[in-house]
Amino acid sequence: MFVTVKNVGEAGRGLVALKDIKVGELIIRDTAVIAIPANLDVWEAGEEIVKQLKKMSCTEKEKFYNLTRKDGINQLCDDLMEDASGDTKTHSKAQKIIKNCKEISIFFNND
């Protein structure tokens, strides 16, 4: 393989070429570990991500949880709970987001 994953500063990890790459040259072929429909709300997406994680092997789960997380998701979760204090339906959705906050932050940073 002529690419490697390296830390690229504030951006996290990135794919870096170890040799010149020709235009149109296939670098890597991979399949998605988790795929969710684009029309899901964040709280629904979190539930779907966790559902698919449960089907993975221990090694696959470990690799997923070692991926970088999207900055600001934890604060977003906290803000949602605060904003939803008076609305039962919104509060319920916010609780689901918080429950899956770690998985959501990994998925949406690496989608």
Side-chain angles (χ1 to χ4, degrees):
M1 186 175 289
F2 50 89
V3 293
T4 188
V5 176
K6 288 188 175 183
N7 189 340
V8 290
E10 290 183 24
R13 296 184 303 177
L15 196 61
V16 178
L18 299 174
K19 72 171 195 96
D20 288 340
I21 301 171
K22 298 175 186 170
V23 173
E25 186 175 356
L26 180 65
I27 299 171
I28 190 169
R29 184 182 310 244
D30 202 4
T31 56
V33 174
I34 296 176
I36 60 171
N39 63 339
L40 295 182
D41 289 331
V42 174
W43 67 275
E44 293 170 315
E47 291 176 334
E48 181 61 27
I49 293 163
V50 170
K51 182 174 138 186
Q52 291 184 38
L53 278 166
K54 287 180 181 178
K55 296 177 185 177
M56 292 182 184
S57 71
C58 290
T59 302
E60 290 171 323
K61 287 178 189 176
E62 182 179 346
K63 288 180 180 179
F64 176 83
Y65 285 109
N66 283 329
L67 293 169
T68 54
R69 289 164 170 74
K70 188 164 191 75
D71 289 336
I73 293 291
N74 287 334
Q75 184 61 51
L76 174 66
C77 291
D78 292 342
D79 292 346
L80 282 171
M81 277 303 285
E82 189 176 318
D83 292 346
S85 60
D87 181 355
T88 307
K89 186 176 179 180
T90 305
H91 188 265
S92 174
K93 288 180 180 182
Q95 284 181 314
K96 289 178 182 182
I97 293 170
I98 287 174
K99 179 180 174 190
N100 303 316
C101 193
K102 180 171 35 173
E103 292 81 4
I104 292 167
S105 68
I106 294 170
F107 180 82
F108 285 106
N109 197 52
N110 296 279
D111 63 345

